[in-house]
């Protein structure tokens, strides 16, 4: 039997009222942390049509100054790909996306060093539905535009699964509304998590083919900060056991528990 291809393609959503500098910082971090090889990295970037061009230029400007180098050098901001086989795999995936009409956008200089280095790359011009079907697992993401909140929810959820989604906006209420509809294990609002694992036992429940967060039972989740506001759970401090829902009821399940979130 052939190994099952990875398919957890995380989405970052940048709304038209987002702080683009903050969004840029978050996206670059998600693209390059652990040299781009982590399960919560950005795979697909969705930017509102009104900010698409400005955000792309900010990202490329930042990537131009990014220092790619020896992972043991404290001045390096990103190191190499784990090994040559994965580097070749990433090159193959990039070529496939280019063959489907994608355009590679990359401005980071490769170091004059031995090693499996790959410059962070943003691929534009590709179909969102095509991009959602395969995880890249490297410093590579696709970028897409959208016009409405309902459209981006549909586009983001058009993937077998997501471990992480991040929404950038200056409107907490708007982020929360969209976040309730995103089928990801963890949802971040401007880099702050507000989706939780709520099992009593240390097992992972599932949204689509992704896992859920790793924060433990609800009783351990008291409060966390979101800018100058505090978001907390209301209700019993010792909630009952929550069974993993059938996939067809995932959004209903999420709605039921996200409804317990309150801005206080």
């Amino acid at each position: 039997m052939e190994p099952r291809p990875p398919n957890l393609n995380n989405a970052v959503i940048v709304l038209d009222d987002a702080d683009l500098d903050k969004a840029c910082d978050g996206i670059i971090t998600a693209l390059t942390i652990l040299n781009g090889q982590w399960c919560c990295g950005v795979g697909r970037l969705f930017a509102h049509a009104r900010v698409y061009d400005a955000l792309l230029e900010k990202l490329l400007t930042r990537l131009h100054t990014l220092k790619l180098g020896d992972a043991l050098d404290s001045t390096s901001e990103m190191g190499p790909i784990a090994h040559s086989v994965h580097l070749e795999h990433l090159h193959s995936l990039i070529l496939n996306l280019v063959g489907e009409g994608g355009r590679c956008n990359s401005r980071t200089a490769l170091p004059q060093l031995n090693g499996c280095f790959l410059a962070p790359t943003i691929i534009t011009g590709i179909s969102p539905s095509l991009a959602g079907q395969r995880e890249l697992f490297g410093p590579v993401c696709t970028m897409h535009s959208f016009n409405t909140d309902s459209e981006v929810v549909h586009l983001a959820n058009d993937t077998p699964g997501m471990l992480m989604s991040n929404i950038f906006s200056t409107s907490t209420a708007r982020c929360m509304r969209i976040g309730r509809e995103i089928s990801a294990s963890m949802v971040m609002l401007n880099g702050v998590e507000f989706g939780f694992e709520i099992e009593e036992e240390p097992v992972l429940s599932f949204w689509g083919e992704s896992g859920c967060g790793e924060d433990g039972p609800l009783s351990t989740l008291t409060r966390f900060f979101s800018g100058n506001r505090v978001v907390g759970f209301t209700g019993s401090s010792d909630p009952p056991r929550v069974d993993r829902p059938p996939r067809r009821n995932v959004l209903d399940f999420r709605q039921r528990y996200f409804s317990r979130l309150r801005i206080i």
Side-chain angles (χ1 to χ4, degrees), residues 13 15 17 149 153 166-183 187-190 192-196 224-226 229-234 254-255 257-264:
I13 298 170
L15 302 179
D17 62 348
D149 293 357
V153 167
N166 206 330
I167 307 169
F168 287 91
S169 170
T170 54
S171 170
T172 301
R174 190 178 179 194
C175 282
M176 298 284 276
R177 184 175 64 252
I178 293 173
R180 292 185 178 100
E181 302 299 323
I182 297 297
S183 297
V187 181
M188 311 275 281
L189 187 163
N190 294 320
V192 177
E193 183 182 340
F194 69 100
F196 302 104
F224 63 98
F225 290 94
S226 176
R229 298 185 180 184
V230 179
V231 180
F233 274 92
T234 62
R254 289 180 60 82
Q255 179 68 38
Y257 284 92
F258 271 119
S259 67
R260 303 183 71 177
L261 283 168
R262 299 288 186 270
I263 304 296
I264 57 178

Side-chain angles (χ1 to χ4, degrees), residues 104-122:
C104 288
N105 298 270
S106 181
R107 294 184 185 176
T108 305
L110 293 176
Q112 300 301 309
L113 298 171
N114 293 326
C116 303
F117 292 98
L118 177 65
T121 302
I122 300 171

Side-chain angles (χ1 to χ4, degrees), residues 14-71:
V14 182
L15 302 179
D16 55 341
D17 62 348
D19 180 327
L20 294 188
D21 290 327
K22 180 181 291 186
C24 180
D25 289 344
I27 294 163
I28 294 296
T29 298
L31 189 63
T32 61
I33 193 170
L34 296 179
N35 307 332
Q37 299 154 100
W38 68 310
C39 57
C40 291
V42 54
R44 298 168 299 149
L45 170 59
F46 296 97
H48 194 282
R50 285 199 285 267
V51 300
Y52 181 96
D53 291 337
L55 179 61
L56 178 59
E57 185 56 36
K58 281 182 179 290
L59 290 168
L60 294 177
T61 298
R62 176 66 183 88
L63 289 176
H64 178 69
T65 63
L66 186 101
K67 183 178 179 181
L68 188 58
D70 189 335

Side-chain angles (χ1 to χ4, degrees), residues 141-156:
C141 73
T142 59
M143 186 170 180
H144 317 274
S145 66
F146 66 92
N147 291 292
T148 67
D149 293 357
S150 59
E151 179 188 8
V152 76
V153 167
H154 172 75
L155 293 174

Side-chain angles (χ1 to χ4, degrees), residues 207-241:
W207 313 124
E209 295 186 6
S210 64
C212 193
E214 301 172 353
D215 297 285
L218 183 60
S219 58
T220 67
L221 304 172
T222 53
R223 295 181 177 181
F224 63 98
F225 290 94
S226 176
N228 61 353
R229 298 185 180 184
V230 179
V231 180
F233 274 92
T234 62
S236 171
S237 61
D238 186 19
R241 166 76 183 182

